[in-house]
Amino acid sequence: MNETPSLEKENFGTESFPSIASNKQKNKNPYFNVVKNWIKKTPYFFAMDYFRRKVYDSSLFDSSIRPLAKTLEEWPGAILIDTTNRCNAKCVWCPNPDLTNVGSMDMDVYRKIIDDYGPRGGVLTFGTFGEPLMDKHIKERIEYLHRYPKIHKIEVLTNGFFLNDDIIPVMIDNGVGVDISLDELDEKTFEDVKKMSFDVVRKNIVTFLELNSKAEHPVPVNIRIKTMKTVEETMRQELFKIIISHDCSVVLNSIDDNIISNWAGKLDKESFLQEYEIPKTTKTQFTHKRFNQTNIAPCTQLWKWMVVYWDGSVVLCCADMFSQTIVGDLKSDSISEIWNGPKMKSLRNQMVGRKRFEVPLCQDCDIHLSWHNLKEYYNKDGNFREDRKFIMG
């Protein structure tokens, strides 16, 4: 699994994950971002940002986002499609190993979904609850998208283990953006917490970055690192230095209680923090995660994208790994019938009415972000913003 919910916009005022760009990008200094990260962890910053969000996410400012939300209700600007929820990694902060309903999407179901989405189009992302490159049909699925130019952006979220010599050309030749959940850069720590080979992942990432740099049309690349070590220790690792020598963005954080997501209550985060002796550096009521658990503003997820499970069912959001809230089934219904259907309308109305806690899945979710964050992904016309590399990050 690739820890989708922790991917939230790097911005003072949302979940703040410092982005470190490569040294090929102008005016981007990774060491400057270490300072910025430190500032974001100070109690003063948390308090100021807490009160800023408290005001901005109140109903006073809802009128500023309603027009965009109404536009996005007409058609999903993005589809997040989980063609398999199987995963080779067993990350200690992920509940994926507890899944019992596992499988891969039937190609006929996949073609039905794409044939429905393609004529109007948008962004298509592979992977959230599992490892999409484990899907034996992934090459065929990606190539099928060429039928529909209006699917104008394709992304894959991967842990990198299967990003090998066979699949790298598929990504580059088809213009697929690659978002890698790398996490630890120290071999022993990596293998302890992710339960897979560091050497395989390291080789794949280095090879991919080198080939992508040489490509006539390089694809967007983002690498996410959340580490039990300090940011400074991680930046001294050899692999980190290789990564930032290429044109890719990096999101780097030391793990604390404000980084790990609780997967809508499915992960016992408190036990995890105790077991791995992770210090609570954010001992304040003002942390983003704590605010997210109490924020009653409408959640961005109900407008941002449609999340499709491997069996064709549509679930409420990217935190619904166990498909607790199914809003439709694309094996029998169309995208419009579900996106504009009674279940989604009812859930959106609950959110707009500030009744978030009447939705069971939402009652203990710590990735809740208000619908004001839709502006980070879409312009006023409901089109995906051209200045964004990924819909995920």
Side-chain angles (χ1 to χ4, degrees):
M1 212 305 300
N2 296 306
E3 190 64 14
T4 306
S6 67
L7 253 187
E8 298 169 28
K9 171 67 179 165
E10 182 233 347
N11 190 10
F12 292 138
T14 67
E15 289 284 46
S16 300
F17 296 124
S19 181
I20 299 180
S22 83
N23 62 358
K24 289 190 176 184
Q25 295 173 323
K26 283 187 176 181
N27 303 318
K28 296 288 185 177
N29 184 335
Y31 298 96
F32 167 79
N33 285 277
V34 172
V35 176
K36 188 167 73 171
N37 188 26
W38 177 80
I39 292 171
K40 289 181 179 182
K41 288 178 180 286
T42 62
Y44 173 78
F45 171 78
F46 280 119
M48 292 299 293
D49 196 47
Y50 171 87
F51 288 112
R52 188 205 66 82
R53 291 182 72 191
K54 190 87 171 172
V55 173
Y56 190 53
D57 288 353
S58 73
S59 58
L60 292 171
F61 294 94
D62 281 356
S63 60
S64 68
I65 194 65
R66 280 186 187 275
L68 175 57
K70 283 291 184 185
T71 298
L72 293 172
E73 286 173 15
E74 297 172 10
W75 184 256
I79 286 191
L80 196 164
I81 188 165
D82 205 49
T83 58
T84 182
N85 60 350
R86 296 188 176 102
C87 189
N88 58 305
K90 306 299 175 190
C91 302
V92 295
W93 47 72
C94 177
N96 177 280
D98 296 333
L99 286 173
T100 55
N101 178 30
V102 295
S104 294
M105 183 173 285
D106 181 85
M107 272 304 297
D108 287 339
V109 173
Y110 175 80
R111 282 188 285 263
K112 178 183 181 296
I113 295 169
I114 301 305
D115 290 345
D116 187 3
Y117 192 62
R120 185 160 177 178
V123 178
L124 194 136
T125 295
F126 291 99
T128 179
F129 306 130
E131 171 48 56
L133 300 188
M134 287 184 71
D135 176 6
K136 65 181 181 180
H137 298 296
I138 190 66
K139 181 176 184 291
E140 183 182 357
R141 297 191 202 275
I142 290 170
E143 290 176 345
Y144 191 79
L145 299 176
H146 286 303
R147 296 168 178 243
Y148 300 104
K150 289 190 177 180
I151 297 178
H152 58 85
K153 186 169 181 55
I154 310 167
E155 305 172 2
V156 165
L157 176 63
T158 176
N159 61 38
F161 188 85
F162 297 99
L163 189 63
N164 52 37
D165 293 341
D166 292 329
I167 199 66
I168 288 172
V170 176
M171 302 292 109
I172 296 174
D173 294 347
N174 291 281
V176 179
V178 179
D179 192 2
I180 303 172
S181 287
L182 173 57
D183 300 320
E184 300 289 351
L185 300 189
D186 171 75
E187 180 175 3
K188 183 180 185 305
T189 310
F190 180 96
E191 295 188 350
D192 283 348
V193 302
K194 294 182 75 75
K195 316 301 181 190
M196 62 180 183
S197 169
F198 176 80
D199 286 340
V200 170
V201 174
R202 182 195 177 282
K203 175 182 177 296
N204 287 348
I205 290 174
V206 172
T207 301
F208 168 64
L209 290 173
E210 289 175 350
L211 291 174
N212 193 47
S213 294
K214 296 174 184 175
E216 183 177 356
H217 300 290
V219 299
V221 182
N222 183 60
I223 298 180
R224 290 184 280 144
I225 304 166
K226 58 181 182 295
T227 174
M228 296 198 185
K229 297 185 176 297
T230 66
V231 167
E232 292 80 5
E233 286 176 303
T234 300
M235 292 176 72
R236 290 195 291 267
Q237 293 285 339
E238 177 227 12
L239 181 53
F240 183 83
K241 294 174 182 177
I242 292 172
I243 287 170
I244 64 167
S245 72
H246 293 274
D247 189 6
C248 62
S249 56
V250 179
V251 181
L252 169 60
N253 293 279
S254 287
I255 289 176
D256 60 29
D257 57 332
N258 199 41
I259 295 299
I260 295 296
S261 300
N262 72 359
W263 286 94
K266 285 296 184 179
L267 176 69
D268 185 348
K269 194 159 80 171
E270 209 53 44
S271 296
F272 166 78
L273 296 171
Q274 290 176 9
E275 180 179 353
Y276 289 90
E277 299 180 344
I278 295 170
K280 290 189 178 181
T281 57
T282 53
K283 293 179 181 177
T284 167
Q285 62 178 313
F286 301 125
T287 67
H288 297 296
K289 294 293 187 190
R290 291 194 182 106
F291 180 78
N292 291 348
Q293 287 177 289
T294 60
N295 189 3
I296 59 172
C299 181
T300 184
Q301 292 274 334
L302 279 76
W303 290 267
K304 180 182 176 182
W305 50 24
M306 174 179 277
V307 182
V308 185
Y309 212 59
W310 70 268
D311 59 6
S313 59
V314 177
V315 297
L316 181 59
C317 72
C318 72
D320 197 0
M321 182 185 293
F322 291 81
S323 56
Q324 296 170 256
T325 306
I326 296 175
V327 296
D329 190 342
L330 287 172
K331 292 193 298 293
S332 54
D333 301 323
S334 71
I335 289 169
S336 286
E337 286 171 335
I338 296 171
W339 191 246
N340 300 297
K343 288 187 178 179
M344 284 298 291
K345 284 183 177 179
S346 175
L347 288 162
R348 289 189 186 116
N349 286 337
Q350 281 182 286
M351 286 287 175
V352 173
R354 310 226 158 215
K355 297 177 181 179
R356 163 196 171 184
F357 295 107
E358 293 183 8
V359 182
L361 181 71
C362 305
Q363 290 172 358
D364 190 30
C365 180
D366 65 1
I367 69 158
H368 175 94
L369 285 176
S370 87
W371 60 347
H372 293 290
N373 288 272
L374 292 169
K375 295 177 181 177
E376 303 292 343
Y377 303 96
Y378 297 100
N379 63 26
K380 62 182 179 61
D381 298 318
N383 298 317
F384 184 66
R385 287 176 49 165
E386 293 182 1
D387 61 337
R388 289 196 63 91
K389 279 188 174 183
F390 292 89
I391 187 84
M392 279 287 193

